Amino acid sequence: MTENAYSFALRMLGQRSYTEYRLRRKLQQKEFPDLEVAAVMERLQAAGLINDVRYAESFARGKLGANAAVSPRHVTNSLVRRGINRKIAEQAVADVMEAECFDAGETISRAVAKKLRSVQHLEPTAARRRLYGFLVRRGFDLREIRSTLNSLKLTD
């Protein structure tokens, strides 16, 4: 017996949360008819089982929580890559930052402390270069990165 699109979608949502975009893609990859996929997505949204705003807030809360080592920009870009509208992603990140009293300085310091353990054996120039690249990839502002790295005392 073949599984219908709605049952498949419910099974997928039972395993973890999905954005509308990713769940739609999963259904299309299983080669369900486009009309059936559209009907399933509408039904799931009406039932409140799929909600991109709620997904974005939950994702942002997880990434920007107490032990965060990534920037708000990084979280926003991750949400956009998952198919969330940029405005929704930015608003979710802003809401979480306000609710969690997010401190960018503390977050970049935590990220540096984490990475510093793996580069402390390198010469100072190489350690600084690796830290810089690490922080850029995490989406931190260049001024924050320079300020943080200038405050470090990297010596031989």
Side-chain angles (χ1 to χ4, degrees):
M1 180 179 189
T2 62
E3 186 174 33
N4 69 26
Y6 187 71
S7 298
F8 177 78
L10 287 177
R11 189 166 51 82
M12 297 302 293
L13 288 169
Q15 294 171 359
R16 68 178 184 90
S17 295
Y18 281 88
T19 63
E20 178 185 346
Y21 171 78
R22 288 219 167 153
L23 186 58
R24 183 181 303 275
R25 235 177 70 212
K26 286 275 190 191
L27 292 169
Q28 290 168 340
Q29 287 172 347
K30 286 291 273 187
E31 298 181 356
F32 289 112
D34 288 342
L35 288 175
E36 188 177 359
V37 170
V40 166
M41 296 307 293
E42 190 174 309
R43 186 174 173 190
L44 292 171
Q45 287 173 340
L49 295 175
I50 192 161
N51 183 322
D52 282 354
V53 173
R54 192 174 57 223
Y55 179 94
E57 288 173 354
S58 175
F59 183 87
R61 193 172 294 106
K63 295 293 181 184
L64 296 172
N67 294 320
V70 296
S71 72
R73 182 184 313 142
H74 182 81
V75 175
T76 300
N77 290 339
S78 293
L79 285 165
V80 170
R81 281 193 304 274
R82 286 171 168 72
I84 301 291
N85 176 288
R86 180 164 291 281
K87 287 184 180 182
I88 292 173
E90 288 171 348
Q91 186 61 51
V93 168
D95 290 348
V96 169
M97 286 174 56
E98 183 179 325
E100 303 286 330
C101 300
F102 183 80
D103 180 6
E106 182 181 316
T107 302
I108 196 168
S109 296
R110 191 176 328 144
V112 166
K114 181 179 179 182
K115 184 66 175 175
L116 201 52
R117 290 188 291 261
S118 68
V119 298
Q120 63 189 1
H121 67 283
L122 299 173
E123 67 177 62
T125 306
R128 185 179 193 81
R129 192 172 50 245
R130 291 215 186 152
L131 284 168
Y132 185 85
F134 173 79
L135 295 171
V136 166
R137 287 188 300 278
R138 296 295 179 286
F140 290 103
D141 183 68
L142 294 179
R143 274 178 285 170
E144 290 175 332
I145 294 172
R146 284 188 199 110
S147 172
T148 301
L149 293 181
N150 287 339
S151 69
L152 290 177
K153 304 294 184 230
L154 295 172
T155 58
D156 287 326

